[in-house]
Amino acid sequence: MTTDRAASPGGAPTPAPTGTPTFTGAPAPTGKPAPSGKPTLTSKPAPTDPPAPPTPAPPTTPTDFTTALQTAARIAVLSPSSHNCQPWAVAWARSPASRAAAARLVGDAEPGGDLVPCARTPEDGSGDGTYRYLVLGLDRSRSLRSLPAHAVEMLLSCGLHWQLLLRALDAQGWTVDALRFAEGPADAEPVRGAELPGAAWPRSWAALCVARLRAVPAGTEHAEELRTLSAAARARRTNRAPYRPHPVQPALLDGLLTPSGAAAARGADVTVRHLTSGADRAAFADFVARHGGRDFRHRAAWRETHAYLRSNEIEAAARGDGFAIDRLFGPLRWPHRQVMRAALAPATMRILSHVGYHRLLASRLAHLVRPTPVVVAMSFARTEPTLADAVKGGARLADYWLCATGAGLVLHPVSVVLQHDDLRTALQSRLGIAGRAFFMSRLGWPATEFPVSPRRPADASLRTI
């Protein structure tokens, strides 16, 4: 396990990290100039002292953790995931055995590698009761598995969810005090060891990260942060429609490059590049046109993708995951929808690929990519990232996406060019992307509003153990 700490030696809290992403909003109102007129003959008013600065509201106690977790879960469930499969899982360690196990995992590591147990709480028999423990898991029963690259995509999806959850808890007075990640590479099965004891831990869950949270006084700025975070999460969309042909200002793009350093994104070794030159964007569009149809020809990959393709919005809402066929091709009339549904069936696709149908679909995607004002490229510094790198990368992506949403921008991931190692390597060489690319996306101003994707209930992936 690898450990990240958010507390200074001795347990004192560290200052809030700089560079935390902010969201745009209405500018503060400016005062109107005083009306002009002739001076009166009355005596001068007595001079007055300058107005006293407003008294800050006194800090309040943090929200009850049960309520805070429920609120945070309703925000975190809105995070994006590959195929909208929602593979995340979260366990709250409440029993004495679970709390003791989680405390050992996030304890201070001695030079010899042994763990010093964390402070105990009343639920364990003594202590001040300020710590709470959460475990992030990967639900294998909801994971994509047809391609090796899907292992990284699932960890990114879990990291996106984890970041929103932890930031929403922080905004309610429960800050991350320490994190402990499972060992192992990002493209392999997580090393066991962070699972909580007892039969309540689902066998399909793989533990990825343990978080220790500490109660801190909550002020008015916490409530505002929670409102802002919730609004951004609800406004965020994966917008596959055409974008407005307007450039994105360089200053705005520079602001999106600032890492937050908050919660699970702390220490994320991620490089973000914005491809804005005509040559780079054209090269990316050409690459998509040439190679973007491979998934349609890959039998296992397309069969898995098709399993998340719903015939309409009603079915998608009832299932709570996946996406309606209209999300791929725009609004369709009933006859056209039925034709497309038949054409995209795995058996039909296998036949149509022999006559180049996959190339037609790739050209349609490239047609969307070509006029996009910005292409976003995110990469790990390491060519062989660890599990911790991937989860932190998802957290970094969550902060980026929320900031972009707050600025009025939308994204559309083009992950097909990264799901096959030979294509990813060729693309990185063509565009000069170092490390290992894990996210390529269109970025721009929306021309049309895109509907929100369906979601499972917020508590569907939450367990108390």
Side-chain angles (χ1 to χ4, degrees):
M1 305 287 286
T2 56
T3 306
D4 281 354
R5 298 217 160 272
S8 58
T14 57
T18 60
T20 300
T22 58
F23 305 96
T24 59
T30 57
K32 295 181 179 180
S36 60
K38 296 180 180 180
T40 63
L41 298 178
T42 56
S43 59
K44 293 182 180 180
T48 59
D49 294 329
T55 303
T60 60
T61 57
T63 305
D64 168 75
F65 190 75
T66 300
T67 302
L69 184 58
Q70 292 171 346
T71 300
R74 288 193 293 270
I75 295 174
V77 77
L78 301 172
S79 58
S81 59
S82 295
H83 295 4
N84 194 24
C85 67
Q86 303 166 48
W88 46 72
V90 176
W92 176 13
R94 295 199 71 180
S95 71
S98 293
R99 287 179 53 80
R104 285 193 297 271
L105 288 168
V106 294
D108 296 323
E110 295 288 356
D114 294 330
L115 294 177
V116 178
C118 302
R120 302 178 71 194
T121 71
E123 294 166 89
D124 297 319
S126 65
D128 61 6
T130 57
Y131 288 151
R132 299 292 184 273
Y133 300 93
L134 295 177
V135 180
L136 171 68
L138 169 66
D139 187 348
R140 299 183 190 90
S141 68
R142 302 194 61 81
S143 298
L144 307 180
R145 301 186 179 190
S146 60
L147 296 172
H150 283 158
V152 175
E153 288 190 15
M154 296 301 96
L155 296 178
L156 291 170
S157 299
C158 290
L160 281 152
H161 181 85
W162 193 226
Q163 181 70 349
L164 263 68
L165 186 81
L166 295 181
R167 284 187 58 185
L169 286 169
D170 182 80
Q172 298 175 86
W174 292 95
T175 190
V176 175
D177 184 73
L179 291 172
R180 188 75 181 259
F181 293 88
E183 300 283 359
D187 55 3
E189 183 73 11
V191 176
R192 295 184 61 83
E195 292 78 10
L196 297 180
W201 181 268
R203 297 184 62 181
S204 65
W205 288 14
L208 305 178
C209 181
V210 182
R212 184 177 72 191
L213 298 106
R214 174 171 46 86
V216 297
T220 55
E221 70 279 3
H222 286 81
E224 181 59 31
E225 170 64 17
L226 184 65
R227 285 191 293 269
T228 303
L229 182 66
S230 178
R234 294 180 186 282
R236 189 209 60 79
R237 300 283 191 278
T238 297
N239 194 319
R240 299 180 179 90
Y243 296 164
R244 295 184 184 277
H246 303 317
V248 182
Q249 299 87 342
L252 178 53
L253 293 176
D254 289 344
L256 296 177
L257 295 177
T258 304
S260 73
R266 182 173 181 265
D269 200 355
V270 170
T271 299
V272 183
R273 281 185 58 193
H274 292 131
L275 308 179
T276 57
S277 72
D280 282 343
R281 291 185 292 117
F284 182 63
D286 291 342
F287 195 91
V288 171
R290 184 174 181 182
H291 302 290
R294 181 180 291 192
D295 266 16
F296 297 106
R297 295 192 66 187
H298 193 289
R299 294 186 182 184
W302 180 246
R303 188 181 304 112
E304 191 172 54
T305 298
H306 189 267
Y308 285 93
L309 192 60
R310 313 302 179 211
S311 58
N312 53 49
E313 297 288 351
I314 297 175
E315 181 188 354
R319 296 287 294 271
D321 60 10
F323 46 91
I325 194 171
D326 299 62
R327 302 296 180 90
L328 294 180
F329 303 103
L332 300 172
R333 295 182 179 274
W334 184 85
H336 194 190
R337 184 183 295 114
Q338 297 305 109
V339 170
M340 291 302 301
R341 185 180 182 185
L344 295 174
T348 310
M349 185 65 73
R350 187 163 58 249
I351 297 172
L352 292 178
S353 64
H354 292 295
V355 296
Y357 187 54
H358 63 292
R359 287 191 289 272
L360 173 63
L361 296 175
S363 68
R364 294 185 64 170
L365 177 58
H367 181 71
L368 280 177
V369 169
R370 201 169 298 279
T372 300
V374 183
V375 173
V376 184
M378 290 190 180
S379 58
F380 301 116
R382 294 187 242 222
T383 56
E384 297 183 0
T386 64
L387 180 150
D389 290 332
V391 175
K392 291 181 180 181
R396 174 70 178 94
L397 176 55
D399 288 342
Y400 180 97
W401 209 323
L402 291 178
C403 280
T405 300
L409 296 165
V410 291
L411 287 94
H412 170 203
V414 186
S415 58
V416 63
V417 295
L418 302 176
Q419 290 180 338
H420 304 270
D421 284 344
D422 60 326
L423 295 187
R424 177 181 55 78
T425 302
L427 178 67
Q428 289 190 225
S429 176
R430 175 65 183 83
L431 297 177
I433 300 173
R436 175 171 174 171
F438 67 86
F439 184 75
M440 300 292 297
S441 176
R442 301 165 59 216
L443 173 72
W445 305 104
T448 58
E449 183 69 20
F450 223 69
V452 66
S453 298
R455 287 295 186 274
R456 302 167 67 217
D459 59 356
S461 59
L462 186 63
R463 294 285 184 93
T464 298
I465 298 178

